Amino acid sequence: MVHGTRTSSAIWAPQVAELERLGHPALAIDLPGHGARAHERFTLAGALEAVDAAVRSFDTPPLLVGLSLGGYVSLAFAGRHEHTIAGVVAAGCSTQTRGPLLRAYRRLSTWVTSALHLGGGTWHVVTDMLAALAMCSPLTDLRRLSLPVWLVNGRRDPLRLEERRYLRAHAGARLTVVPRAGHDVNTHAPDEFNRVLVDALRELAPRS
């Protein structure tokens, strides 16, 4: 499980607890620049290495789950290493990471960091993230995938603008829109989010 920007692996506590209760091994990781790795700078290469190490720790290809930044990283990883995982749940990331709005946000984040000295000394991770994601193309990653993909968005999430384009990019992708939930859908609606994960794992389970 891969978290979003300026959070950590701790956001997945409700999911880890529920999956382990049902007998599914679960692992939530910290990306560079976050949690136990807050002293590092975030890079896409470092993030992909963190996911790769976690994936390789499992005996069988795991279901890769990502929220927001973690969703973009998970799709990028799947696009490069599809054979190592069983499927992807990408939440809160159904908008491309390029375009004028994101460029403007990156410039604003840079100004906030350098001029106003805001962000508690960690705001640089936002500018690092935006620079890294500018190199990603989630639609391209989706088009090249043949493994199962689940898209999960809170209905109030502003980053679900292009969910229909995401569905067209991967013919087999399934979309769940959770009512009354925002961007942090796994936190706002943990029971609904957990049901998506459990249903995905059941679908992926080997049939006797």
Side-chain angles (χ1 to χ4, degrees), residues 21-73:
R21 184 184 72 82
L22 296 173
H24 300 289
L27 175 62
I29 66 170
D30 286 327
L31 293 174
H34 300 79
R37 303 182 62 176
H39 59 285
E40 303 176 38
R41 294 297 293 259
F42 179 86
T43 65
L44 180 60
L48 294 175
E49 288 174 4
V51 174
D52 183 60
V55 166
R56 286 189 286 105
S57 72
F58 285 86
D59 295 332
T60 58
L63 175 65
L64 183 58
V65 182
L67 172 74
S68 191
L69 169 61
Y72 291 116
V73 169

Side-chain angles (χ1 to χ4, degrees), residues 130-181:
L130 291 171
L133 292 189
M135 300 183 291
C136 294
S137 176
L139 289 177
T140 299
D141 293 325
L142 282 167
R143 291 187 186 106
R144 63 166 58 113
L145 294 178
S146 59
L147 51 69
V149 173
W150 291 264
L151 304 174
V152 186
N153 294 315
R155 188 170 299 280
R156 299 172 179 170
D157 185 358
L159 290 185
R160 53 178 290 239
L161 295 175
E162 296 183 275
E163 59 190 14
R164 295 298 164 185
R165 292 189 70 189
Y166 276 47
L167 287 174
R168 291 194 296 271
H170 188 291
R174 271 69 59 85
L175 170 66
T176 299
V177 178
V178 181
R180 298 179 298 280

